[in-house]
Amino acid sequence: MSKILIKRVKLVDPSQNLEDTKDILIEKGRIKAIGDNLFELEAHVIEAKGLVACPSFVDLHVHLRDPGHEYKEDLESGMRCAVAGGYTTLLCMPNTEPPIDSPEVAQYIIRKAEDIGLCKVLPAGALTKGRRGKELTDFYALKKAGCMAFTDDGSPLTDSRLMQRAIELAEQVGTFVMNHCEDDKLAVGHINEGYISSMLGILSRPASAEDVLVARDCILAYHLGGHVHIQHLSSSLSVEIVRFFKERGTKVTCEVNPHHLVLTEDEVLKSHSKAKVNPPLRREEDRRALIEALLDGTIDCIATDHAPHAVWEKGLLEKAMPGMIGLQTALPIMLQLVRENLISLSKMVELMSCKPATILGLDGCGSLREGARANLVIFDPEREWLLNEETNLSKSKNTPLWNRPLKGKVFYTIFEGRIVFQDV
Ligand code: DOR
């Protein structure tokens, strides 16, 4: 059915400064009307009293592991997770096998995702050939093949000369560079450097490893006037560095991962390798600084860093791969901050949808204005649920939140006017 009528939903859309109970009519893939007491004879009706609708989420940081590591995730399972979490646009990271350093791999991803059709998947191209940090990829060819930005995520680009050139070239092809800021000469271990790493006698990853590269990238963006996006910001000093440069008009944007907003380094004592992630979970002071930075605009958006790994890759802490799955738990985590009155619902939508859409320069998402493409999510902010064998749609289950009570559940995700996820 091509028409959908959503009745009496609480519509939250910061792009039109709207937070009100409304009916929404969807027709031919677009928002046909927003109003009170809408009626349409042929429409599929969703009674949504007590539910919230907003522009669906845009994730600038996901690992879909396809091609090459399909035992952890593939495009289809990753996209199923995404729509179950309220996402309809994903920027997928290039640390696949082979990496996204050629137009062929970028095109493989775009075509396969289009065939699956559940949501939009856009590739991020590798910054350097083979993600080895030595030689830049062909930005022009990769952009032409559909890459939206460039990063070696999973690894930092530490060579400042190459980074300078990358920022210039990305600007020339009309896109931007993203960086995983952790200097790998300093970040050699497994968890945050601090009391817990000393107590356990475990090699660590200090905040300074992040801070030096965040500062370096901000300085280069400042001098070159190019756009740099800092991935998964996690340290309080990095927040201050970004704030300093933003105040001076530098084109720097940054994201934070939901796990860094609710978990701290002591989670390692409870969840062991499931709490191992790069950059690592840090101190309570860092967590507080990240939340503050959401409010004053220093941090632009939420990105999940959904990073699936198989059970056998998450054994002993010192041997385990870093990363957590996160597409299905981002909304409940963010709603926890809303319930604690740390951010408003409208701010949450801005951070998860409008802002990341703007950073990628996408129209067609991040707004539910009349005439816009119908990409939206309908959720119950109060519904309690567990991420477990029954509800998890990822091929992997590496998260400390496994089997822990979550509050806030997606009921419908609508992509281009089609219901692509439903749980009622
Ligand atoms: O913890 C992480 N895992 N951080 C990254 O940047 C990469 C990711 C992965 O690919 O597993």
Side-chain angles (χ1 to χ4, degrees):
M1 185 168 307
S2 73
K3 295 182 191 175
I4 302 171
L5 179 59
I6 305 163
K7 297 292 290 175
R8 283 176 285 273
V9 77
K10 177 172 170 181
L11 173 58
V12 181
D13 184 0
S15 81
Q16 357 175 24
N17 230 337
L18 198 66
E19 187 161 348
D20 205 356
T21 302
K22 291 284 172 202
D23 295 350
I24 307 172
L25 178 62
I26 297 169
E27 196 183 313
K28 293 193 189 128
R30 293 193 179 262
I31 306 292
K32 173 87 195 269
I34 292 173
D36 304 311
N37 303 313
L38 296 182
F39 178 75
E40 175 59 58
L41 204 56
E42 291 163 25
H44 168 72
V45 176
I46 297 177
E47 286 296 344
K49 198 159 173 251
L51 306 181
V52 175
C54 65
S56 48
F57 308 136
V58 176
D59 196 343
L60 296 188
H61 196 146
V62 292
H63 297 272
L64 297 180
R65 309 297 193 208
D66 188 351
H69 303 128
E70 291 89 345
Y71 63 95
K72 301 175 194 243
E73 200 78 287
D74 60 25
L75 278 159
E76 181 160 356
S77 63
M79 290 162 83
R80 285 197 189 286
C81 265
V83 294
Y87 288 89
T88 59
T89 306
L90 307 176
L91 184 71
C92 66
M93 294 297 112
N95 58 342
T96 47
E97 195 55 54
I100 313 176
D101 63 358
S102 70
E104 290 73 24
V105 179
Q107 278 290 306
Y108 157 82
I109 291 170
I110 292 170
R111 296 226 175 94
K112 185 167 172 189
E114 275 172 5
D115 283 348
I116 296 165
L118 286 169
C119 64
K120 202 165 195 70
V121 176
L122 303 164
L127 267 175
T128 63
K129 292 185 183 163
R131 297 178 51 256
R132 284 186 290 271
K134 300 282 181 226
E135 198 185 337
L136 294 181
T137 53
D138 183 341
F139 284 13
Y140 178 75
L142 286 170
K143 173 78 193 318
K144 208 164 148 220
C147 292
M148 300 295 288
F150 297 98
T151 172
D152 276 351
D153 183 61
S155 314
L157 181 57
T158 48
D159 181 324
S160 302
R161 173 82 190 112
L162 266 193
M163 188 52 151
Q164 174 169 299
R165 191 74 195 116
I167 296 170
E168 288 167 345
L169 278 175
E171 197 75 3
Q172 277 170 26
V173 302
T175 177
F176 59 97
V177 171
M178 308 169 98
N179 200 11
H180 175 135
C181 290
E182 275 190 298
D183 186 323
D184 48 10
K185 294 280 192 309
L186 295 174
V188 291
H190 311 282
I191 60 174
N192 186 42
E193 180 176 276
Y195 169 69
I196 292 174
S197 68
S198 316
M199 193 175 72
L200 299 177
I202 284 185
L203 279 175
S204 61
R205 310 178 77 83
S208 57
E210 175 173 328
D211 302 333
V212 290
L213 280 194
V214 169
R216 193 268 326 252
D217 287 351
C218 286
I219 290 167
L220 290 176
Y222 173 82
H223 284 293
L224 298 169
H227 177 189
V228 173
H229 178 86
I230 313 281
Q231 301 186 281
H232 38 45
L233 204 71
S234 71
S235 114
S236 61
L237 183 57
S238 285
V239 165
E240 289 201 41
I241 294 167
V242 171
R243 188 175 285 132
F244 175 93
F245 280 94
K246 278 196 163 190
E247 280 167 8
R248 281 149 187 83
T250 313
K251 270 206 262 170
V252 56
T253 52
C254 57
E255 66 189 39
V256 65
N257 304 147
H259 46 262
H260 287 121
L261 296 171
V262 289
L263 302 175
T264 48
E265 56 185 346
D266 47 325
E267 185 62 36
V268 170
L269 301 175
K270 274 188 255 164
S271 301
H272 314 283
S273 65
K274 279 189 177 167
K276 177 174 172 179
V277 64
N278 292 344
L281 299 173
R282 301 216 191 263
R283 304 162 308 163
E284 177 62 11
E285 298 92 292
D286 296 296
R287 188 181 82 84
R288 291 264 150 208
L290 294 170
I291 293 172
E292 245 177 63
L294 293 176
L295 291 174
D296 71 5
T298 301
I299 291 177
D300 296 272
C301 66
I302 305 296
T304 64
D305 194 3
H306 178 79
H309 290 293
V311 173
W312 68 88
E313 295 168 325
K314 277 293 199 180
L316 269 184
L317 183 63
E318 283 149 296
K319 296 253 163 76
M321 301 260 199
M324 314 176 174
I325 54 170
L327 282 163
Q328 286 183 258
T329 50
L331 175 66
I333 290 181
M334 295 310 293
L335 285 170
Q336 180 182 328
L337 301 185
V338 174
R339 273 196 306 279
E340 289 169 9
N341 279 326
L342 294 168
I343 59 167
S344 68
L345 200 51
S346 151
K347 183 74 189 176
M348 181 196 93
V349 176
E350 188 188 307
L351 290 163
M352 296 180 78
S353 182
C354 316
K355 275 301 226 24
T358 308
I359 291 173
L360 274 189
L362 299 174
D363 45 333
C365 53
S367 175
L368 295 179
R369 285 175 194 284
E370 284 178 1
R373 286 181 194 282
N375 291 322
L376 61 147
V377 54
I378 303 173
F379 62 87
D380 180 348
E382 302 301 327
R383 176 62 64 97
E384 293 182 17
W385 64 290
L386 300 174
L387 185 71
N388 56 24
E389 297 290 354
E390 235 173 83
T391 54
N392 178 42
L393 294 173
S394 172
K395 285 188 178 178
S396 299
K397 41 189 180 182
N398 52 306
T399 166
L401 303 182
W402 189 258
N403 255 325
R404 280 195 204 163
L406 299 168
K407 203 167 175 185
K409 180 88 187 61
V410 172
F411 278 11
Y412 294 91
T413 301
I414 298 177
F415 172 55
E416 310 272 312
R418 279 181 298 123
I419 297 175
V420 286
F421 175 80
Q422 180 170 348
D423 180 19
V424 273

